[in-house]
Structures are given as C-alpha cells and as structure tokens.
Amino acid sequence: MSGAAEPPSGPSSARARGRAALAGPAGLVLAAAALTAVMAAPVLRHPAARLFGSELVGRHPAPFIVISQLESPRAPGPFTQPVTDWTGAALARLLGDPVVALNLLVLATFPLAALFAYLLAWELSRSRLASWVAGLAFAFAPFHLAQAAYHPHGAQVQWLPLYFLALWRSTEKAEPRRIALLAAAAPLVALSNFYYGLMAVVLTPVALFGWWIAAGREGRARAGRGPAATLATLAGLALAGLGYVAVGAAAVLESPSRFAWPKEDLLLYSARWWSYLVPLPDHPVYGPLAEAFWRDRHPGGILEQQLALGPGLLLLAGLALAGWLRGGRRGGLARVPALLVLAAGAFLCSLSPVWRLGPLELPRPSEALYALAPMFRAYARFGVVVALAAAILAGIGAAALARRVRASGAERRAPLPRHGPLGLLGLLGLLGLLAWAAVDVAPFPPWRWRDVLPTAAHRWLSGRPEVRVLDCVPGSDAAQRSAERFFDGEVHFLRAEEDCGDPGLPAALAGRGVTHVIVRRDRPLASWLAAGGRLAGLAPEREFPDALLLAVEAEPAAVEVAIAGGFSWREYKGAESYRWMAERGALWITAASPRPVEAALELTLSAFPGPREVEVRLDGSPQGRIAVGPEPRAHRLAPLALAPGRHRLELRPLAPPVVADDVLGNGDRRPLSVALWSWSLAIAPGQPSPSATPSR
C-alpha cells in the first residue's frame, strides 16, 4: 500500500456524497421523474383506462395502432422500429396490459431525456447549472409533450442527446469505450424512431463540422485519431444498417416509391419559422393566445408545429452567444459554435422544401431529402434537435451569468454582491430568466391525460355490459373504432351511407337491438339537437361536455328505409335537415315480412336551382315521374309492391346537376340537383305486421 491519503469516511462524508449525487444527474433524474409523476398523476391513478397527453388534434389512431402492436410484436419490417416496439411488447407481457405498457413507454422518456441531455450538457460545459437547465428544458420541451400525446415512437427523443454525446466524445478521443458508446447509441436512435435515424444520418456531418469549428487548431491536434476512428465506426454502422434494411425491409430498397408520401404533404408537415415562437395551445400561461393563433392560421399538421422554444430560454441562449462573441472561451462558451451550427442545420432541414423570394424559388434541404427518401414527410421533426441545442445553449448562458455574479461577489468579499451591474441586479436577473424559462416549458396545469374511450358518454355507459350503443361516427375511422376494445358493452358504428340524422335510422337501430346513440358535440347533429331539433324514435337521456346520449325508443319496422347511395352529408336548416344528390340518389327499402306487401312511400323533396322532373325506379323498373319544385314538398309514391327482402329505389333527375357556386357564389363546388328532406313509409291496411317509420 502506498502512503496515499485515505478517502474521507463516516456520516459526514456520506452526507456530502449524497448531496453531491443529488446535485448531479441522479438528482436531475429524480426531479424529472417527480415532475413527470405530477404532470401525469391522472394517468398513474388509472393507467389502463387513460392515456398520457392532451387531445391537441382530437382522437388520433396512432396510439391505438401501437397498443394493438404491443400485443402482437412484429418481426423486422418496413414499419417495425424494434427498440421501441419490442421494448413495449416486453412491457405489455410483463405488466399484462398494453395500455399500461404504452403509458410507461412514453412517461419513461421524460426522465431519460433529462438524463442524456444533462450528460451532453455536462460534457460540453462541465457546469451542473448548465446541465440541469438543459436537461429539464429538453425533457419538457413542447415538441416532446406534443409527440408523447400521439406518437409513442416520436416521444423517444432521449436517444438523440445520447447519440451526439457519443459522436463528439469519440471524435475528441479514440478510446475503445467511446467508440463502443457510439456503436451502441447509433442503433438506439435509428431503431427507436426512423425519423430520428434520418436526423442522425443527415446531421452527423453538420455536428462534426460544428465540432471542427469549436475545437480550434489545438483541439483538432489533441483529437489525434479520433475523427478517423469515428468516421470508420460510422461507416461500419452504415453498412450494418443497410444489411438490416436488406433483411428486414427489402421492399423499401426494391421500390421506395411504394412507401412514398405525396410531395404536397411536405408543406403540411414542415415547420414554419414562427412555429419556434408560438407555444402549445394548452400552455397554462400562453395557451389562450396560442390557441387563438392556431385557430386563425389553421395550418395543416398542427401537431408537428409544436416547436416553441420560449422567450426565457431564447434569452438565456442569447447570453451564451453574447459571451462567445465577446471572446469568452471558458467552460461551455467554447462549445457555442458547435451548438449553433447543429441548431442551424436542423432548423434549415425542418423548413418547407422551397423558399419563395418574389419570383424566385430556392430549394431547401427537405427538397433533396424527399428526393432521396420519399417515405419521410414530417421534416418539422428536425426541430427537436433545435430544441436540444437551444436547451444546452440556455444552460451555458445561465452558467456564464452565474459565474459573473459569483466573480463580482468574490471581488467584493461578500456572500451576495450588493453593488455594480453584475451584483444583486445580476443575481435577480439570473433568477428571473430561469423562472421565465421554467414558465416556457411548464408542463402543468392542466394535467395531461385523456380517456382511452372517446367521450364521457362512453365512459358513463362502459360499466353496463348489457347496453348496445351506436357511436355516430363512420365505422371506417380507425381511431374511433378503437373504442370497441375498451368498452364493456357492444359498440356499433355508422354503416356506409348512414347518417344519424336519417329519419329511418331509429327504427333500424331498434331492429338491431341498439339501446343508445352517442352524438359527439363537435358534430353538426349535436348543434342541431341542442337548438331544439328532434329525431322521432330517439329521446335525450343525458348530456356530457363532449357528447349527447340518446335512448332508442322506436319500434322495429316491418319495412325499413335507408340511404343506399348518391347523397352528400346531411345538412341542417332550422328544425329540418336534408341531403343533396347530384345525378341520382338511391334508397334501400327492406321488407321483413314473410310475404309480399303493398306500401306507400312519402318523400319530401326540393330541386336546385329551379323545378326538375325526376324519374323513379324500383329495382330498375320505372315507376313514373314526379315534378319537384324549389321548395320542399311531399311526394307520395304508391302503391309499391314489395316482396320480402331488400329493394333499391332510385331517383333520377332528367336534367344534369348544377354546381352550387355557379349560381350562389358560396364556394360550394358540389354539383346539386335534388335535396331529400325526409321520408315516411306506411303499409297498406290489411297487410301483415303494420308498422311505419315516423317522419319528422
């Protein structure tokens, strides 16, 4: 044993080590986990019935698709992202519920993102303050919060700072453990989310160029074989990546166009420059202003536009830039150029493919990237790297200001400086900027969660397994159909051509055994019902903030009438409603009786823009013609001989339809001919099972 001094021991040294740990990455992870738990408290209370995140763009199919995938993990393929998919599937098996697994998979990204952003900031600045600011600002960045609500793969932002940490460390020094970290980080970022893999590929040269500038001649000389070893490692990783694609997703290499998005999508899913300034619509402070902004602009791909950096964070980052411009080279200030270059490269890649400057159209990086990889369209996601660089720059700026404040206090030999521009005023300025930055990324309130069921009406009925519900949304909507797996009762959806405002629907629902109808508040039918409209056979039972619940009171009809095709969506006017048709429209008439019946069908019709003659056919056989005027009027079709089964009744206007906008100048480009307002069908006296579908 040598005579080296023994490390301090005892209770006091243990406390000192504990305080040091809490001031470092362990303390940050605990703080981020605590903030995440508070933010997601409603989800943690009911992890199998709630999802994390606010409904920024309504009910989206992505999380529900992932939930189904977690139950049946896929082999490598064009859409398999193994790091996320297989980890989630393992959690689902371990926890016994894919919804709980999905929530854990998403919520874990917040402390992990804080940890790896801390480590990257520490590598660049060697400042705990800078690392704490960077870790928290990146973990709770608006982009991360928005993606975590809908895209579990997009929430996996934690691997990006780990990748850049490994890239810059291996470039500075070619140690085996640094090369190994790079070899591990690259597949983690690429196979957790293919978009982040694309970012790693595109921004690696940018990051290396930024390192080359920031390192200077001396730093590049000290690096020795680091850059060459890093490039060799990256080349090997690229070959391994191509091998993975060739084995697991050969179709992508054989025919990239099969997976291509339309080029016009790039304008919807690329960032606007102002996206970096407008906060989340549900921000606890700026939310109302942001919501009004988004409502007025109505941009497509609003979810991808949540890239706000926040004024407090930008001011702190500006301090770092100002310190570097003034010649500061201490601590993280020396790394400011690397971060600026990385942020600038990511910012340019996030923008739309073309910059229009008067008559000129200048291409941007996304134009070239789309030509090479047309299966990517959401280039706004490059903004997450801008957020990472801005968070670290803000941390460096805060640390630089803190050093100036401490230096001022040391010169005056006072615990707190009392005079001078960087005295107490500087301390208050630092605390104010940190508080402002905290407000910028404040994730709560409101608590971020939503039910796995679409509305409160679904949740209210879900404890009654005997109910059979019609949800007034199309059955083709995957996001809405996902309610089936979480609902205790039986859920039905609108069939093709059906509308909840159709007069014959209540009797048809009664025949199917449906007991309740749910109408979303954002549907025109809900507004019409709230204004006093009534549907015969449906009675209001309960109102919820997001839905109306109606009880089915109609009796099953011996003969049902329903829309067969050719009609537009239902529109509402006063106490009435109608559906337009163009060249022709058709109704199904279904007779449930065991033998033929005679019936009378009454249709209320109006014509556009003036009177029209309409031919009526039943199962292809002409039934005569009716003169339809511009005002709604009832027309009786009788007798109709109906054999058991389904019959098709067609209305064929003899004159061609007219585009509404050509006559009214209302912007409606639909060709219109006849509007169907309502119908009723009565069976002739003495027929079996007399019943009628009531008219409004």
Side-chain angles (χ1 to χ4, degrees):
M1 294 290 293
S2 67
E6 295 280 341
S9 60
S12 60
S13 61
R15 285 194 295 269
R17 287 194 299 270
R19 287 193 296 269
L22 289 177
L28 176 69
V29 170
L30 290 175
L35 290 173
T36 303
V38 174
M39 174 179 66
V43 178
L44 297 178
R45 289 180 59 195
H46 304 283
R50 295 173 176 176
L51 293 175
F52 173 77
S54 306
E55 284 203 329
L56 185 64
V57 293
R59 194 171 177 89
H60 194 283
F64 302 102
I65 293 172
V66 174
I67 286 171
S68 64
Q69 291 172 351
L70 297 186
E71 292 182 308
S72 304
R74 298 178 299 188
F79 303 103
T80 306
Q81 297 163 88
V83 171
T84 302
D85 294 340
W86 295 350
T87 301
L91 288 172
R93 287 195 297 271
L94 178 65
L95 301 173
D97 191 300
V99 178
V100 179
L102 178 70
N103 281 322
L104 181 58
L105 191 67
V106 168
L107 293 178
T109 64
F110 289 94
L112 287 175
L115 171 63
F116 293 131
Y118 176 101
L119 295 177
L120 176 57
W122 175 260
E123 176 70 17
L124 298 177
S125 68
R126 297 297 169 177
S127 164
R128 286 178 174 171
L129 175 60
S131 303
W132 269 76
V133 171
L136 293 176
F138 179 66
F140 297 99
F143 176 89
H144 190 195
L145 291 169
Q147 292 292 320
Y150 289 101
H151 296 139
H153 298 87
Q156 308 301 309
V157 300
Q158 68 270 16
W159 306 123
L160 284 165
L162 178 65
Y163 173 74
F164 290 115
L165 171 65
L167 178 68
W168 279 330
R169 280 177 60 83
S170 67
T171 304
E172 287 185 345
K173 192 173 184 180
E175 290 183 346
R177 61 180 181 178
R178 297 190 177 201
I179 299 297
L181 179 62
L182 178 62
L188 283 173
V189 73
L191 299 181
S192 64
N193 183 351
F194 291 152
Y195 271 98
Y196 298 159
L198 174 69
M199 293 178 203
V201 171
V202 172
L203 295 178
T204 290
V206 178
L208 291 176
F209 178 64
W211 172 87
W212 186 85
I213 293 176
R217 184 178 302 174
E218 293 182 4
R220 294 193 291 270
R222 286 196 304 269
R225 296 184 297 106
T230 297
L231 292 175
T233 303
L234 292 173
L237 291 170
L239 290 175
L242 288 174
Y244 172 86
V245 174
V247 173
V252 176
L253 296 177
E254 294 169 0
S255 179
S257 60
R258 285 177 51 196
F259 303 89
W261 292 103
K263 189 173 182 179
E264 53 267 24
D265 281 8
L266 270 64
L267 295 175
L268 294 176
Y269 297 100
S270 296
R272 284 78 164 168
W273 65 266
W274 39 260
S275 300
Y276 290 92
L277 303 176
V278 182
L280 281 169
D282 63 349
H283 190 278
V285 177
Y286 311 125
L289 293 175
E291 186 177 7
F293 179 89
W294 291 114
R295 185 172 58 247
D296 293 341
R297 290 295 184 106
H298 291 292
I302 183 176
L303 178 63
E304 309 298 342
Q305 305 299 320
Q306 304 311 307
L307 302 170
L309 301 177
L313 209 68
L314 288 174
L315 286 172
L316 285 171
L319 290 178
L321 176 59
W324 179 75
L325 291 175
R326 292 178 59 185
R329 297 297 183 268
R330 289 186 57 193
L333 291 177
R335 306 301 183 95
V336 167
L339 293 167
L340 288 176
V341 168
L342 181 61
F347 175 77
L348 289 175
C349 290
S350 74
L351 299 176
S352 57
V354 174
W355 181 34
R356 290 178 174 83
L357 184 63
L360 299 177
E361 290 190 353
L362 304 177
R364 286 173 171 157
S366 57
E367 176 86 6
L369 293 176
Y370 177 80
L372 294 173
M375 64 286 300
F376 294 98
R377 62 174 178 175
Y379 290 100
R381 296 186 187 182
F382 274 86
V384 67
V385 179
V386 180
L388 174 62
I392 299 175
L393 284 170
I396 292 173
L401 181 56
R403 280 197 301 271
R404 296 292 297 273
V405 171
R406 286 196 299 269
S408 176
E411 291 171 4
R412 300 174 185 278
R413 298 180 181 179
L416 286 177
R418 300 179 181 275
H419 306 287
L422 290 176
L424 183 58
L425 183 61
L427 177 62
L428 293 177
L430 173 61
L431 295 177
L433 287 174
L434 290 174
W436 197 353
V439 170
D440 291 343
V441 297
F444 54 85
W447 316 122
R448 297 176 180 273
W449 69 276
R450 73 253 195 225
D451 203 313
V452 293
L453 292 172
T455 71
H458 290 80
R459 177 57 60 193
W460 189 74
L461 287 174
S462 66
R464 300 161 59 181
E466 74 280 2
V467 300
R468 303 181 73 180
V469 179
L470 173 72
D471 194 349
C472 284
V473 292
S476 58
D477 190 329
Q480 307 301 340
R481 287 197 68 91
S482 63
E484 289 179 303
R485 64 175 293 129
F486 308 113
F487 192 70
D488 294 334
E490 187 174 328
V491 184
H492 298 255
F493 299 91
L494 290 174
R495 300 173 180 175
E497 304 294 341
E498 274 187 340
D499 188 283
C500 274
D502 289 343
L505 187 62
L509 296 178
R512 298 181 209 168
V514 173
T515 59
H516 294 81
V517 173
I518 294 176
V519 181
R520 313 293 178 85
R521 288 280 189 183
D522 59 356
R523 306 283 166 160
L525 176 59
S527 301
W528 182 72
L529 291 171
R534 289 292 178 265
L535 292 172
L538 296 179
E541 180 168 317
R542 195 177 179 93
E543 294 190 7
F544 298 90
D546 52 3
L548 301 177
L549 182 63
L550 309 176
V552 178
E553 294 184 345
E555 295 294 331
V559 180
E560 294 182 2
V561 182
I563 297 291
F567 290 93
S568 298
W569 59 88
R570 181 164 292 278
E571 301 173 59
Y572 297 88
K573 182 179 181 180
E576 302 296 333
S577 66
Y578 52 90
R579 295 178 72 165
W580 284 106
M581 68 182 188
E583 296 180 354
R584 65 182 62 182
L587 297 173
W588 291 121
I589 303 177
T590 305
S593 60
R595 59 180 186 270
V597 297
E598 286 190 359
L601 177 65
E602 188 174 277
L603 303 176
T604 300
L605 304 169
S606 64
F608 177 82
R612 288 177 176 272
E613 194 171 8
V614 178
E615 181 184 26
V616 180
R617 294 194 173 202
L618 182 65
D619 294 331
S621 300
Q623 302 292 307
R625 296 179 180 179
I626 54 178
V628 180
E631 296 298 323
R633 186 170 67 85
H635 299 267
R636 184 179 175 84
L637 306 178
L640 297 177
L642 303 174
R646 191 163 70 167
H647 306 271
R648 183 181 177 90
L649 183 116
E650 286 191 350
L651 303 175
R652 299 185 176 187
L654 301 185
V658 175
V659 174
D661 185 57
D662 293 345
V663 178
L664 304 176
N666 60 357
D668 187 349
R669 299 301 302 172
R670 287 179 299 167
L672 308 178
S673 60
V674 171
L676 172 61
W677 290 71
S678 64
W679 65 77
S680 65
L681 187 141
I683 299 176
Q687 300 295 305
S689 303
S691 181
T693 301
S695 175
R696 284 180 283 183

